[in-house]
Amino acid sequence: SLLLGCLWMRAAYDILKVQWKDRADTVIIGGGCVGVSLAYHLAKAGLKDVVLLEKSELTAGSTWHAAGLTTYFHPGINLKKIHAYSIKLYEKLEEETGQPVGFHQPGSIRIASTPTRVDEFKYQMTRAGWHPTEQYLITPEKVQELFPLLNMDKVLAGLYNPGDGHIDPYSLTMALAAGARKYGAQLNYPVQVTNLNSRSDGTWEVETSLGIIQAKRIVNTAGFWAHDIGKMIGLRHPLIPVHHQYVVTSTIPEVKALKTELPVIRDLEGSYYLRQERDGLLFGPYESEEKMKLQESWVTNGVPPGFGKELFESDLDRIMEHIEAAMEMVPVLRKADIVNTISGPITYSPDILPMVGPHQGVRNYWVAIGFGYGIIHAGGMGKYLSDWILEGEPPFDLIEVDPNRYGKWTTTEYTAAKARESYGFNNIVGYPKEERFAGRPTERAGGLYDLLKSKCSMGFHAGWEQPHWFYKPGDETGYKPSFRRTNWFDPVGREYKQVMEKVGVIDLSPFGKFKVKGTDSVKLLDHLFANVVPKVGSTNISHMLTPRGKVYAELTVSQLYPEEFMLVTGSGSELHDLRWIEDKITKGGYKVEIENMTDEMGVLGVAGPYARQVLQKLTNEDLSDASFKFLQCRHLKLSNIAVTAIRISYTGELGWELYHRKEDSVPLYSAIMEAGQKEGIDDFGTYALNALRLEKGFRAWGAEVRKYNFFIILSGSLGVFLWAADFTGKQALKQIKEKGLKRRLVYLTLETDNVDPEGNESVWHNGKVIGNTTSGCFSYGAQQSLAFAYVPMELSKVGQKLEVELLGKNYPATIIQEPLVLTEPTRMRLQRKGESPKI
């Protein structure tokens, strides 16, 4: 057998030498289902010279032993599109390629056996209502009808997705490979990549066991080898293999007697999935973080040479509690024999989501790695990445899988801790405003973390710890998640009142902060932003658009000195935005320098009617309205601490953002708090900030201003500067405007009870879903719920009555004129005119 293997390898190499290309447009490294899907989609779209390199054979790694589950369901709003595309592709792939794929679509049911889980299902139903795929909340009776072998004692409800099921991963990959070859891609294996060299023009030399390939771009789709590929170019991808086990039984008479295939079930409290496998059953658990097993040695020492289609040793003791739970839920399992136990490696990122897209800091290096659910993601992600490569921008927003959401703070220790947590939390209840605590705090936590950690409930933002809300005596402290109003509701109202009536301080340090300077800096920003470039000493809010006129990012832009700017973006967008700007600088040949100042700088926000009064005590600079106007910026000293002060506040009240050295955060904060004792100064967190900005009608990045969305630019107040310069996306945006919009952003008040909107809920009219909310909360000023929503133009007039679905109930909603509360600068302007502003 060894001789035959050697002869086969020799024959394969001889064939490859005949077909070998030394140049390619795109080299894909890794032949699992994701990599092969990308090759298929690029080639089908007409890209020439697509080459895939696989070190062993197709499906080696994680693909070949996967359980193959497919589902339309995803708790997020964007990845549902990926799932839906994959399923629709798999349905027609056999017809297209002539290769059988073994696709079964009996549907799937998530089982609710607690009242909280029923609430979760209702929460997910409103988030699915405005998506095209089917999803139903079904009764226990319907659950039993669909899966007659269940013990119904604990079943309270089911979440049913018709069209879900499972597919044979090997057959799927071979069908995609057949399609890729049909359309002209070259799939080469066994060929090991031995080194990667980046050239000065942004192209790559891919060194392999058969020679060197010159490539315009490379895409790392190497599964649990992705970490090793990254190390070749100095990148440390935060990935770690986990041991996942599933069990296959022998024939079960009760299963064999069924006339139709059983739907896949997911017993969420038991933390396992179960499906029919021929005349038996297959079930796979997700153990707790204490019991699950990582293959940490592969991160430090690399994957063992030759590992491809091997498995780990099984360990049934580790999953015994889940086996017992499955036997209780599906009693026929008790008399079934286990005929096979699969224990293989699956690659996890810290948050379980894959990393997909171009990587910051390395030109033309793309990744599609970290797939914990590679089979259902493969089709959709192959299409998504193919479109991005060919069109220069993604087809829709998937910022949650951007590889640049991680940074230097993502250590190996952090990755391991989060992977344990993410694996163990696979079936945990998904609450709004969810926080997970493993691996925290990171080395990036923030300058005020140690001072404030015992006084507040912290939230995690790209490695930073940021106060969500603060404790007072008598409060119920800690993280208490709920689908309804919970322990933070009243304290947030207290903080809201603090800012509206006195003065508050908030830690805004997680912002991404860049310095741009050079002779071409104005020229660059004119090209980047759909706005005028601010003058020296001035600030504005600007948007970077894609060539198709869609929003890529929102930043605060300040010109501090001639040809020197500070750019500020949201915490989750730091490297995402930096990559885009760096790419524009390189391609445009701009003579500028850009420096990432995020980790070096802290930011404090001071807001409220007494903000000026407090800060004036700490400086000789004149902070009066006449001297320091709204949207102006300057360098000054507060208590002898150097700051860059911008008169701006997301609260909409009088306020400043104070940018300073991170090591000065504690003394600056302490000086401000001391100076404000007479004015009753106090802390406030991001939950109160959100309530304040919603009342002012401010849009939020990632909600109203959503990536790859042009509605907000054309339908909102942000469009006022659109024609100021020849910026990227200008012509496309003009064409979009000429065609007209079909939806509009509106401002709603809701009549609710103990539940508030947060965004992505279904909006109803006359018994039909007609739109979706983008964000929402309780207005402590108006004492009712508020929300933004996108609705059809014909239903967007002030006074229009609608309904918003919250936890299975439709609540009355009314479109009102925005904002509910005027901003402080607007109120002051009206007062000077002798008019009475509304608050």
Side-chain angles (χ1 to χ4, degrees), residues 96 216 302 417 821:
E96 178 184 349
K216 181 178 178 181
V821 178

PDB file of all heavy atoms in Angstrom, residues 96 216 302 417 821:
ATOM      1  N   GLU A  96     -26.427  21.416 -11.810  1.00  0.00           N
ATOM      2  CA  GLU A  96     -25.455  22.242 -12.532  1.00  0.00           C
ATOM      3  C   GLU A  96     -24.174  21.484 -12.848  1.00  0.00           C
ATOM      4  O   GLU A  96     -23.604  21.641 -13.942  1.00  0.00           O
ATOM      5  CB  GLU A  96     -25.128  23.484 -11.705  1.00  0.00           C
ATOM      6  CG  GLU A  96     -24.095  24.403 -12.341  1.00  0.00           C
ATOM      7  CD  GLU A  96     -23.718  25.564 -11.450  1.00  0.00           C
ATOM      8  OE1 GLU A  96     -24.390  25.791 -10.422  1.00  0.00           O
ATOM      9  OE2 GLU A  96     -22.724  26.256 -11.762  1.00  0.00           O
ATOM     10  N   LYS A 216      -1.599  38.020  -8.177  1.00  0.00           N
ATOM     11  CA  LYS A 216      -2.093  39.370  -7.890  1.00  0.00           C
ATOM     12  C   LYS A 216      -2.587  39.463  -6.453  1.00  0.00           C
ATOM     13  O   LYS A 216      -2.400  40.460  -5.778  1.00  0.00           O
ATOM     14  CB  LYS A 216      -3.219  39.725  -8.863  1.00  0.00           C
ATOM     15  CG  LYS A 216      -3.791  41.118  -8.681  1.00  0.00           C
ATOM     16  CD  LYS A 216      -4.874  41.405  -9.719  1.00  0.00           C
ATOM     17  CE  LYS A 216      -5.486  42.785  -9.504  1.00  0.00           C
ATOM     18  NZ  LYS A 216      -6.571  43.047 -10.509  1.00  0.00           N
ATOM     19  N   GLY A 302       2.375  24.472  15.713  1.00  0.00           N
ATOM     20  CA  GLY A 302       1.940  24.187  14.352  1.00  0.00           C
ATOM     21  C   GLY A 302       1.223  22.843  14.260  1.00  0.00           C
ATOM     22  O   GLY A 302       1.318  21.990  15.151  1.00  0.00           O
ATOM     23  N   ALA A 417      -9.227  31.387  25.796  1.00  0.00           N
ATOM     24  CA  ALA A 417     -10.303  31.591  26.773  1.00  0.00           C
ATOM     25  C   ALA A 417     -11.636  31.839  26.077  1.00  0.00           C
ATOM     26  O   ALA A 417     -12.676  31.304  26.479  1.00  0.00           O
ATOM     27  CB  ALA A 417      -9.953  32.762  27.690  1.00  0.00           C
ATOM     28  N   VAL A 821     -36.270  65.902  21.026  1.00  0.00           N
ATOM     29  CA  VAL A 821     -35.644  66.969  21.815  1.00  0.00           C
ATOM     30  C   VAL A 821     -34.611  67.663  20.940  1.00  0.00           C
ATOM     31  O   VAL A 821     -33.762  67.007  20.342  1.00  0.00           O
ATOM     32  CB  VAL A 821     -34.953  66.395  23.077  1.00  0.00           C
ATOM     33  CG1 VAL A 821     -34.264  67.505  23.864  1.00  0.00           C
ATOM     34  CG2 VAL A 821     -35.958  65.660  23.954  1.00  0.00           C
TER      35      VAL A 821
END
